[in-house]
Amino acid sequence: MDKLEHAKIREVILDRAEAIIAKKGVISLKISDFTKGLGISTTLFYSLFQTKEDILVALTTRAFNQTLTMRWWINFNDNSGLEKFIAYILEEIKFTEEHSLHSAISTISCNRLIFKNANSVHLKELNHLAREYWETPIQLLIQAREQQEIQATDEQINQLCHLLCTYLRGREMINNTYTGKEYSEELRFDNARFITQLLKELCPNHSIKPQTLRNAQELRRKLVGYRSNISVS
């Protein structure tokens, strides 16, 4: 069996795993779901995934691979660093709200117990992608500082990004519970206002230009098209 056929079977297994997790939860995953459920031999399955933890890590890696890279964000010159930062964070919040399953699997996969039982081959790629994912907003704020849009030390930038990371994970937890999601919809929390309030402390005169916010929102609307162009190329 060639590499292309292996890759296709791998994707089928991941699709099946995602469907099972969405319906029954992570604990319900069994090897027989793939060997018997998909008619895949045990030998073939174990040549692709040695443990259930490998599947979780692979699902997270696949989700990260669907995002724009840090290099793309840094080198994209149509918007300023601050505009890109705002667009990036708001887009990630939107992702946790609309794709809470993928976001939850991502969090589970980063658990130490999962890492302990996952194969190093799968972890190496995930570690690289995850590090780049969380480094992107830091680099965008550094770019904004170079463009004199903000006045902040490295420590302030790191602290802000850490706070936003915690906020993102909190949003994810809310959206993965029925009561929490209901409460979230009722509250109608203004994410854009929250982000701008935090950023104002780093901006000259503690204010963000209205045009900066408009440009950030416009960039968000264009992101789908940019992702499509990259996937085609």
Side-chain angles (χ1 to χ4, degrees), residues 154-214:
D154 288 346
E155 183 179 1
Q156 288 173 314
I157 288 173
N158 282 312
Q159 287 177 346
L160 175 60
C161 290
H162 180 77
L163 174 61
L164 289 172
C165 169
T166 304
Y167 174 72
L168 279 167
R169 290 314 182 194
R171 297 292 300 173
E172 170 199 295
M173 292 177 65
I174 288 174
N175 284 288
N176 273 294
T177 61
Y178 179 79
T179 305
K181 191 170 185 178
E182 190 177 61
Y183 168 76
S184 179
E185 291 173 351
E186 182 180 331
L187 184 61
R188 297 185 183 280
F189 194 81
D190 190 334
N191 293 309
R193 178 173 293 182
F194 172 70
I195 301 303
T196 53
Q197 286 297 326
L198 290 176
L199 284 171
K200 281 181 180 179
E201 295 301 315
L202 305 182
C203 293
N205 302 318
H206 299 295
S207 63
I208 298 177
K209 297 176 182 178
Q211 188 61 44
T212 297
L213 299 177
R214 287 194 289 269

Coordinates of all heavy atoms in Angstrom, one line a residue, residues 154-214:
D154 N 8.3 43.7 26.7 CA 8.1 42.3 26.4 C 7.3 41.6 27.4 O 6.5 40.7 27.1 CB 9.5 41.6 26.2 CG 10.3 42.0 25.0 OD1 9.6 42.6 24.1 OD2 11.5 41.6 24.9
E155 N 7.6 41.9 28.7 CA 6.8 41.3 29.8 C 5.3 41.7 29.7 O 4.5 40.8 29.9 CB 7.4 41.8 31.1 CG 6.7 41.1 32.3 CD 7.2 41.6 33.7 OE1 8.2 42.4 33.7 OE2 6.7 41.1 34.7
Q156 N 5.0 42.9 29.4 CA 3.6 43.3 29.3 C 2.9 42.6 28.1 O 1.8 42.2 28.2 CB 3.5 44.8 29.1 CG 3.8 45.6 30.3 CD 3.8 47.1 30.0 OE1 4.5 47.6 29.0 NE2 3.2 47.9 30.9
I157 N 3.6 42.4 27.0 CA 3.1 41.7 25.9 C 2.8 40.3 26.2 O 1.7 39.7 25.9 CB 4.0 41.8 24.7 CG1 4.0 43.3 24.1 CG2 3.7 40.8 23.6 CD1 5.0 43.5 23.0
N158 N 3.8 39.6 26.9 CA 3.6 38.2 27.2 C 2.5 38.0 28.2 O 1.7 37.1 28.1 CB 4.9 37.7 27.8 CG 5.9 37.3 26.8 OD1 5.6 36.7 25.8 ND2 7.1 37.8 27.0
Q159 N 2.3 39.0 29.2 CA 1.3 38.9 30.2 C -0.1 39.0 29.5 O -1.1 38.3 29.9 CB 1.4 40.0 31.2 CG 2.6 39.7 32.2 CD 2.8 40.8 33.2 OE1 2.3 41.9 33.1 NE2 3.6 40.5 34.3
L160 N -0.2 40.0 28.6 CA -1.5 40.2 27.9 C -1.9 38.9 27.1 O -3.0 38.5 27.1 CB -1.4 41.4 27.0 CG -2.7 41.6 26.1 CD1 -3.9 41.9 27.0 CD2 -2.4 42.8 25.2
C161 N -0.9 38.4 26.4 CA -1.2 37.2 25.6 C -1.6 36.0 26.5 O -2.4 35.2 26.1 CB -0.1 36.9 24.7 SG 0.2 38.1 23.3
H162 N -0.9 35.9 27.6 CA -1.2 34.8 28.6 C -2.7 35.0 29.1 O -3.4 34.0 29.2 CB -0.3 34.8 29.7 CG -0.5 33.8 30.7 ND1 -0.2 32.4 30.5 CD2 -1.1 33.8 32.0 CE1 -0.6 31.7 31.6 NE2 -1.1 32.5 32.5
L163 N -3.1 36.2 29.4 CA -4.4 36.5 29.9 C -5.4 36.1 28.8 O -6.5 35.5 29.1 CB -4.5 38.0 30.2 CG -5.9 38.5 30.6 CD1 -6.4 37.7 31.8 CD2 -5.9 40.0 30.8
L164 N -5.1 36.5 27.5 CA -6.1 36.2 26.5 C -6.2 34.7 26.2 O -7.2 34.1 25.8 CB -5.7 36.9 25.2 CG -5.9 38.4 25.2 CD1 -5.3 39.1 24.0 CD2 -7.4 38.7 25.3
C165 N -5.0 34.0 26.4 CA -5.0 32.5 26.3 C -6.0 31.9 27.3 O -6.8 31.0 27.0 CB -3.6 32.0 26.4 SG -3.5 30.2 26.6
T166 N -5.9 32.4 28.5 CA -6.8 31.9 29.6 C -8.2 32.2 29.3 O -9.1 31.4 29.5 CB -6.4 32.6 30.9 OG1 -5.0 32.3 31.2 CG2 -7.2 32.0 32.1
Y167 N -8.5 33.4 28.7 CA -9.8 33.8 28.4 C -10.4 32.9 27.3 O -11.5 32.4 27.4 CB -9.8 35.2 27.9 CG -11.1 35.7 27.3 CD1 -12.2 36.0 28.2 CD2 -11.3 35.9 26.0 CE1 -13.4 36.4 27.7 CE2 -12.5 36.4 25.5 CZ -13.6 36.6 26.3 OH -14.8 37.1 25.8
L168 N -9.5 32.6 26.3 CA -10.0 31.7 25.2 C -10.4 30.3 25.7 O -11.4 29.8 25.3 CB -8.8 31.5 24.2 CG -8.7 32.6 23.1 CD1 -7.4 32.5 22.4 CD2 -9.8 32.6 22.2
R169 N -9.6 29.8 26.6 CA -9.9 28.5 27.2 C -11.1 28.5 28.1 O -11.9 27.6 28.2 CB -8.7 27.9 28.0 CG -7.5 27.6 27.1 CD -7.9 26.7 25.9 NE -6.8 26.3 25.1 CZ -6.9 25.8 23.9 NH1 -8.1 25.7 23.4 NH2 -5.9 25.4 23.2
G170 N -11.3 29.6 28.8 CA -12.5 29.8 29.5 C -13.8 29.8 28.7 O -14.8 29.2 29.0
R171 N -13.7 30.5 27.5 CA -14.8 30.6 26.6 C -15.1 29.2 26.1 O -16.2 28.8 25.9 CB -14.4 31.5 25.4 CG -14.2 32.9 25.7 CD -15.5 33.6 26.2 NE -16.5 33.6 25.1 CZ -17.8 34.0 25.3 NH1 -18.1 34.4 26.5 NH2 -18.6 34.0 24.3
E172 N -14.0 28.4 25.8 CA -14.2 27.0 25.3 C -14.9 26.2 26.3 O -15.9 25.5 26.0 CB -12.8 26.4 25.1 CG -12.8 24.9 24.8 CD -11.5 24.3 25.0 OE1 -10.6 24.7 24.3 OE2 -11.4 23.5 25.9
M173 N -14.6 26.3 27.6 CA -15.3 25.5 28.7 C -16.7 25.9 28.7 O -17.6 25.0 28.9 CB -14.6 25.7 30.0 CG -13.2 25.2 30.1 SD -12.4 25.5 31.7 CE -13.4 24.6 32.8
I174 N -17.0 27.2 28.6 CA -18.4 27.7 28.7 C -19.2 27.1 27.6 O -20.3 26.6 27.7 CB -18.5 29.2 28.6 CG1 -18.0 29.8 30.0 CG2 -19.9 29.7 28.3 CD1 -17.9 31.3 30.0
N175 N -18.6 27.1 26.4 CA -19.4 26.6 25.2 C -19.5 25.1 25.1 O -20.2 24.6 24.2 CB -18.7 27.2 23.9 CG -19.1 28.7 23.7 OD1 -20.2 29.0 23.4 ND2 -18.1 29.5 24.0
N176 N -18.7 24.4 25.9 CA -18.8 22.9 25.9 C -19.8 22.4 27.0 O -19.8 21.2 27.2 CB -17.5 22.3 26.1 CG -16.8 22.1 24.7 OD1 -17.2 21.4 23.9 ND2 -15.7 22.9 24.5
T177 N -20.5 23.3 27.6 CA -21.5 22.8 28.6 C -22.8 23.5 28.2 O -22.9 24.6 27.7 CB -21.2 23.3 30.0 OG1 -21.1 24.7 30.1 CG2 -19.9 22.7 30.5
Y178 N -23.9 22.7 28.3 CA -25.2 23.2 27.9 C -25.6 24.5 28.6 O -26.0 25.5 28.0 CB -26.3 22.1 28.1 CG -27.7 22.6 27.7 CD1 -28.1 22.6 26.3 CD2 -28.6 23.0 28.6 CE1 -29.3 23.0 26.0 CE2 -29.9 23.5 28.3 CZ -30.2 23.5 26.9 OH -31.4 23.9 26.5
T179 N -25.5 24.4 29.9 CA -25.9 25.6 30.8 C -25.0 26.8 30.5 O -25.4 27.9 30.3 CB -25.7 25.3 32.3 OG1 -26.5 24.1 32.5 CG2 -26.2 26.4 33.1
G180 N -23.7 26.5 30.3 CA -22.7 27.6 30.0 C -23.0 28.2 28.7 O -23.0 29.4 28.5
K181 N -23.3 27.4 27.7 CA -23.6 28.0 26.3 C -24.9 28.8 26.4 O -24.9 29.9 25.7 CB -23.7 26.8 25.3 CG -23.8 27.3 23.9 CD -23.7 26.1 22.9 CE -23.6 26.6 21.5 NZ -23.5 25.5 20.5
E182 N -25.9 28.3 27.1 CA -27.1 29.1 27.2 C -26.9 30.4 27.9 O -27.4 31.5 27.5 CB -28.1 28.2 28.0 CG -29.5 28.8 28.0 CD -30.5 27.9 28.8 OE1 -30.2 27.7 30.0 OE2 -31.4 27.4 28.2
Y183 N -26.0 30.4 29.0 CA -25.7 31.6 29.7 C -24.9 32.6 28.8 O -25.2 33.8 28.8 CB -24.9 31.3 30.9 CG -24.2 32.4 31.6 CD1 -25.0 33.3 32.4 CD2 -22.8 32.7 31.4 CE1 -24.4 34.4 33.0 CE2 -22.2 33.8 32.0 CZ -23.0 34.6 32.8 OH -22.4 35.7 33.4
S184 N -24.0 32.0 28.0 CA -23.2 32.8 27.1 C -24.0 33.5 26.1 O -23.8 34.7 25.8 CB -22.2 31.9 26.4 OG -21.4 32.7 25.5
E185 N -25.0 32.8 25.5 CA -25.9 33.4 24.5 C -26.8 34.5 25.1 O -27.0 35.5 24.5 CB -26.7 32.3 23.9 CG -25.9 31.4 23.0 CD -26.7 30.2 22.5 OE1 -27.9 30.0 23.0 OE2 -26.2 29.4 21.6
E186 N -27.2 34.3 26.3 CA -28.0 35.2 27.0 C -27.3 36.5 27.4 O -27.8 37.6 27.3 CB -28.6 34.6 28.3 CG -29.6 35.5 29.1 CD -30.1 34.9 30.3 OE1 -30.2 33.6 30.3 OE2 -30.4 35.6 31.3
L187 N -26.0 36.3 27.8 CA -25.2 37.4 28.2 C -24.8 38.3 27.0 O -24.7 39.5 27.1 CB -23.9 36.9 28.9 CG -22.9 37.9 29.4 CD1 -23.6 38.8 30.5 CD2 -21.7 37.3 30.0
R188 N -24.6 37.7 25.8 CA -24.2 38.4 24.6 C -22.9 39.2 24.8 O -22.9 40.4 24.6 CB -25.3 39.3 24.0 CG -26.5 38.5 23.6 CD -27.6 39.3 23.0 NE -28.8 38.6 22.6 CZ -28.9 37.8 21.6 NH1 -27.9 37.7 20.7 NH2 -30.0 37.2 21.3
F189 N -21.9 38.6 25.3 CA -20.7 39.3 25.7 C -20.0 39.9 24.5 O -19.9 39.2 23.4 CB -19.7 38.3 26.4 CG -18.6 38.9 27.1 CD1 -18.7 39.4 28.3 CD2 -17.3 39.0 26.5 CE1 -17.7 40.0 29.0 CE2 -16.3 39.6 27.1 CZ -16.4 40.1 28.4
D190 N -19.6 41.1 24.6 CA -18.9 41.8 23.5 C -17.4 41.6 23.5 O -16.7 42.2 24.2 CB -19.2 43.3 23.6 CG -18.8 44.1 22.3 OD1 -17.9 43.6 21.6 OD2 -19.4 45.2 22.1
N191 N -17.0 40.6 22.7 CA -15.6 40.2 22.7 C -14.7 41.3 22.2 O -13.6 41.5 22.7 CB -15.4 38.9 21.9 CG -16.0 37.7 22.5 OD1 -15.8 37.4 23.6 ND2 -16.8 37.0 21.7
A192 N -15.2 42.0 21.2 CA -14.3 43.1 20.6 C -14.1 44.2 21.6 O -13.0 44.7 21.7 CB -15.0 43.7 19.4
R193 N -15.1 44.5 22.4 CA -15.0 45.6 23.4 C -14.0 45.1 24.5 O -13.2 45.9 25.0 CB -16.3 45.9 24.1 CG -16.2 47.0 25.2 CD -17.6 47.4 25.6 NE -18.3 48.2 24.6 CZ -19.5 48.7 24.8 NH1 -20.1 48.6 25.9 NH2 -20.0 49.4 23.8
F194 N -14.1 43.8 24.9 CA -13.2 43.3 25.9 C -11.7 43.4 25.4 O -10.8 43.8 26.2 CB -13.5 41.8 26.2 CG -12.6 41.1 27.1 CD1 -12.5 41.4 28.4 CD2 -11.7 40.1 26.6 CE1 -11.6 40.8 29.3 CE2 -10.8 39.4 27.4 CZ -10.8 39.8 28.7
I195 N -11.5 43.0 24.2 CA -10.1 43.0 23.7 C -9.6 44.5 23.6 O -8.4 44.7 24.0 CB -10.0 42.4 22.3 CG1 -10.5 40.9 22.3 CG2 -8.6 42.5 21.7 CD1 -9.8 40.1 23.3
T196 N -10.4 45.4 23.1 CA -9.9 46.7 23.0 C -9.7 47.4 24.3 O -8.8 48.2 24.4 CB -11.0 47.6 22.1 OG1 -12.3 47.5 22.7 CG2 -11.0 47.1 20.7
Q197 N -10.5 47.1 25.3 CA -10.3 47.6 26.6 C -8.9 47.2 27.2 O -8.2 48.0 27.8 CB -11.4 47.2 27.6 CG -12.7 47.9 27.4 CD -12.6 49.4 27.6 OE1 -11.9 49.9 28.5 NE2 -13.4 50.2 26.8
L198 N -8.5 46.0 27.0 CA -7.2 45.5 27.4 C -6.1 46.2 26.6 O -5.1 46.6 27.2 CB -7.1 44.0 27.2 CG -8.0 43.1 28.1 CD1 -7.8 41.6 27.7 CD2 -7.6 43.2 29.6
L199 N -6.3 46.3 25.3 CA -5.3 46.9 24.5 C -5.1 48.4 24.8 O -3.9 48.9 24.6 CB -5.6 46.7 23.0 CG -5.4 45.3 22.5 CD1 -5.9 45.2 21.1 CD2 -3.9 45.0 22.5
K200 N -6.1 49.1 25.2 CA -6.0 50.5 25.4 C -4.9 50.9 26.4 O -4.3 52.0 26.3 CB -7.3 51.1 25.9 CG -8.4 51.3 24.8 CD -9.7 51.9 25.3 CE -10.7 52.1 24.2 NZ -12.0 52.6 24.7
E201 N -4.7 50.0 27.4 CA -3.6 50.3 28.4 C -2.2 50.3 27.7 O -1.3 50.9 28.3 CB -3.7 49.2 29.4 CG -4.9 49.2 30.3 CD -5.2 50.5 31.0 OE1 -4.2 51.0 31.6 OE2 -6.3 51.0 30.9
L202 N -2.1 49.7 26.6 CA -0.8 49.7 25.9 C -0.6 50.7 24.8 O 0.4 50.9 24.3 CB -0.5 48.3 25.3 CG -0.6 47.1 26.2 CD1 -0.3 45.8 25.5 CD2 0.3 47.2 27.4
C203 N -1.7 51.4 24.5 CA -1.7 52.3 23.4 C -1.4 53.8 23.8 O -1.8 54.1 25.0 CB -3.1 52.3 22.7 SG -3.5 50.8 21.8
P204 N -0.8 54.6 23.0 CA -0.6 56.0 23.3 C -1.9 56.7 23.6 O -2.9 56.4 22.9 CB 0.0 56.5 22.0 CG 0.6 55.3 21.3 CD -0.3 54.2 21.7
N205 N -2.0 57.4 24.7 CA -3.2 58.1 25.1 C -4.3 57.2 25.5 O -5.5 57.6 25.6 CB -3.7 59.1 24.0 CG -2.6 60.1 23.6 OD1 -1.9 60.7 24.4 ND2 -2.5 60.3 22.3
H206 N -4.0 55.9 25.7 CA -4.9 54.9 26.1 C -6.2 54.9 25.2 O -7.3 54.8 25.7 CB -5.3 55.2 27.6 CG -4.2 55.1 28.5 ND1 -3.5 53.9 28.8 CD2 -3.6 56.0 29.3 CE1 -2.5 54.1 29.6 NE2 -2.5 55.4 30.0
S207 N -6.0 54.9 24.0 CA -7.1 54.9 23.0 C -6.7 54.2 21.7 O -5.5 54.2 21.4 CB -7.6 56.3 22.7 OG -6.6 57.0 22.0
I208 N -7.6 53.5 21.1 CA -7.4 52.9 19.8 C -8.2 53.6 18.7 O -9.4 53.9 18.9 CB -7.9 51.4 19.9 CG1 -7.0 50.6 20.9 CG2 -7.7 50.7 18.5 CD1 -7.4 49.2 21.1
K209 N -7.6 53.9 17.6 CA -8.3 54.6 16.6 C -9.4 53.8 16.0 O -9.3 52.6 15.8 CB -7.3 54.9 15.4 CG -6.2 55.8 15.8 CD -5.2 56.0 14.7 CE -4.0 56.9 15.1 NZ -3.0 57.1 14.0
P210 N -10.6 54.4 15.8 CA -11.8 53.7 15.2 C -11.4 53.0 13.9 O -11.9 51.9 13.7 CB -12.8 54.8 15.1 CG -12.4 55.8 16.1 CD -10.9 55.8 16.1
Q211 N -10.6 53.6 13.1 CA -10.2 53.0 11.8 C -9.4 51.7 12.0 O -9.6 50.8 11.2 CB -9.3 54.0 11.0 CG -9.1 53.5 9.6 CD -10.4 53.4 8.8 OE1 -11.2 54.2 8.8 NE2 -10.5 52.3 8.0
T212 N -8.7 51.6 13.1 CA -7.9 50.4 13.4 C -8.9 49.3 13.6 O -8.7 48.1 13.1 CB -7.0 50.6 14.7 OG1 -6.1 51.6 14.4 CG2 -6.3 49.3 15.0
L213 N -10.0 49.5 14.4 CA -11.0 48.5 14.7 C -11.7 48.1 13.4 O -12.0 46.9 13.2 CB -11.9 49.0 15.7 CG -11.3 49.3 17.1 CD1 -12.4 49.9 18.0 CD2 -10.7 48.1 17.7
R214 N -12.0 49.1 12.6 CA -12.7 48.8 11.3 C -11.9 47.9 10.4 O -12.3 47.0 9.8 CB -13.2 50.1 10.6 CG -14.3 50.8 11.3 CD -14.9 51.9 10.4 NE -14.0 53.0 10.3 CZ -14.0 54.1 11.0 NH1 -14.8 54.2 12.1 NH2 -13.1 55.1 10.9

